[in-house]
Amino acid sequence: MALNTGRLLRVDLSGGKVAAETIPESIAADFVGGRGYGIRYLYEELPPGIDPLGEKNKLIMLNGPLAGNKAQAVSRWMVCTRSPLTGAFARSACGADFGAWLKFAGYEVIIVEGKAEKPVYLHLTPDGCEILDAGEIWGQNTGETQAWLNERHGKNTRTACIGPAGENLVKYAAIVSDRRTAGRCGTGTVLGSKNLKAIAITAQRNVQLADPEAYDKLAKEQVNIIKNNGAFQSHKEWGTTATQDITNGIGIYPVRNFRYGQHIDYEKITGEEYRKLRTGDMGCYSCPARCGKVHTVASGIYAGAHSEGPEYETIWAFTGPIESSSIEASIAADQLCDDFGLDTISTGGCIGFAYELYEKGLLKKSDTDGLELTYGSHEPMVALVKKIAMREGIGDLLAEGTMRAAASIGKGAEACAIHVKGLELPAYEPRGAKSQGYNYVTANIGANHCYGYAAQDIFGAPFPRPTDRFSEENADVVIFNQDGTASKETGIVCGFSGGWGWADELFGKLLAAARGVKDFEDKDYINKVGERMFNLERAFNVREGFDRKQDTLPKRMLTEPLHTRKAPGEGQIVSHQDEFLDKYYSLRGWSKEGIPTPEKLKEIGLDFVLKDMPVK
Ligand code: SF4
């Protein structure tokens, strides 16, 4: 088989230059692709201590080696950078067609460096890349921007862009493609800081595989496995629009800024209730699930609201934090987030934070532009989404994220800021799903559910072993989930499809057929790559000054008992965080301070990192 390591496009916005590079075989062998390439290039090229919103930060966009071909659910794409929200490594994944189109244009990686003097966009084709004036679309929302680019460059164009939130440097602005978002960690903010409005790709299908015949055969096997899989059928039917039926049932649906584990009016926000407003579905390139369920509001104050969602996290973000039971308001807020280019999880988290401060008297009506932030009241929530995106009034403070907003308010507001490393928590209560909580604690990007999803706690998954969801003795399972996710994200495999029965058998073989590297068929080899990636991301953070001190849940989870209302878990707190970290670090081969040891770095082939690690 011919070796196919992929190509990289380097865009220097300061100098107005673009250049193509071939990715070296050594990088392909050690990091395979996707998120592996992301951290490898970021670690090597980003000097420590740079301003995430300064000219020296770099933004890396990636597809995976499997993207744009017949295999299913492997054409998503990803962004890696230094996060302006957390200061740590950032990884944010997205769907739709953009990842496949990047492959059709001939690339697996775009590295954006520098800063343009005025708003620009990139237009990429298989024949080259131009840096073009974006004056006409600066200020437009993400739908308008994509329509303008389609009009100008034709229907074979797919775009990733920012909306006003990214332009206004909201710390958790998203990158949007079609109506899918790379939401977390403020990757859209970094694009905004570079005056880069959009990346538009015009291309047609173009296969780039080392062994196309073997790949197609494996893809057929994958399709046969998936179509008979029950988890796939259920995901196709519901997407994640009914996940709250499970999480609320077991008392881990966070309500009132993570003080309760069940919604008081839950029967109004069930999957069946959302289904009543469903008007269509959408999906990603080469995936039959089409798990994005489209909803439209027909009547009432939100009549006409229409969103290609909300999916579970967004359903929660616009109901749980303020205990609203308005499905219609959640659809309207989701639509606004997509239009403005905002991460729905951090937006909902910041709004829940503001409601609690209002309840406690730390924010008054005079601070909130006259809005009454009382629980259950959803109109102020929708108004806040707009204010955050435009940095108007109270929105300017909330646009900084809960960690910074709490520090500037003071007076005890920090106790209401629910984040890990500055990233707002997603929709799983850590006190009732402790392995998920400890994934938040130790994830390199902060509190992210996808980084090592604890399906054992939430769905009773039995691999590598079943867990008691209240136990704090599952460090091995947390590591299994995190490294397993990292290894699959070398190919940017959609996290949902990991449960459809094909990945264990076929993932490595597909990688080998795509790259022409036989070693990738070996599961141990690919698992080791996952561990290497996770450790390199940790080393990136250590180099930026992170250590054990930032590995902590919010104080609320460590000191305040959870109130579940009727579910099991009433009174739970996380009480053994220190012991957990000791065990976790020891299993990882890290020091007591959470620094990868020289022995571990050498064992996993990260010798080049040794010089950067403090001795602690
Ligand atoms: S399962 Fe959903 S998110 Fe994943 S690739 Fe398919 S359509 Fe996209």
Side-chain angles (χ1 to χ4, degrees), residues 257 353 356-357 360 406 412-418 554-556 560:
N257 204 24
F353 164 75
E356 187 177 352
L357 295 187
K360 290 185 156 61
E414 288 88 349
C416 308
I418 306 300
K555 203 169 163 199
R556 170 157 294 161
E560 295 176 29

Side-chain angles (χ1 to χ4, degrees), residues 73 76 180 235 282-284 287 289-291 494 496 500:
R76 286 168 62 84
R180 298 274 176 158
H235 194 64
M282 65 174 293
C284 307
C287 177
R290 294 184 65 77
C291 74
C494 174
F496 298 123
W500 300 344

Side-chain angles (χ1 to χ4, degrees), residues 268-301:
K268 294 183 182 159
I269 58 164
T270 61
E272 283 294 353
E273 290 301 314
Y274 271 91
R275 191 181 192 136
K276 289 176 187 167
L277 299 188
R278 193 189 292 178
T279 51
D281 53 33
M282 65 174 293
C284 307
Y285 183 88
S286 196
C287 177
R290 294 184 65 77
C291 74
K293 304 306 174 194
V294 180
H295 299 90
T296 307
V297 180
S299 59
I301 57 172

Side-chain angles (χ1 to χ4, degrees), residues 255-256 262-265 319-325 375-376 565:
V255 167
R256 296 196 181 211
Q262 281 187 318
H263 196 295
I264 208 156
D265 275 334
T319 58
I322 67 158
E323 200 151 31
S324 160
S325 55
Y375 286 112
R565 294 188 162 130

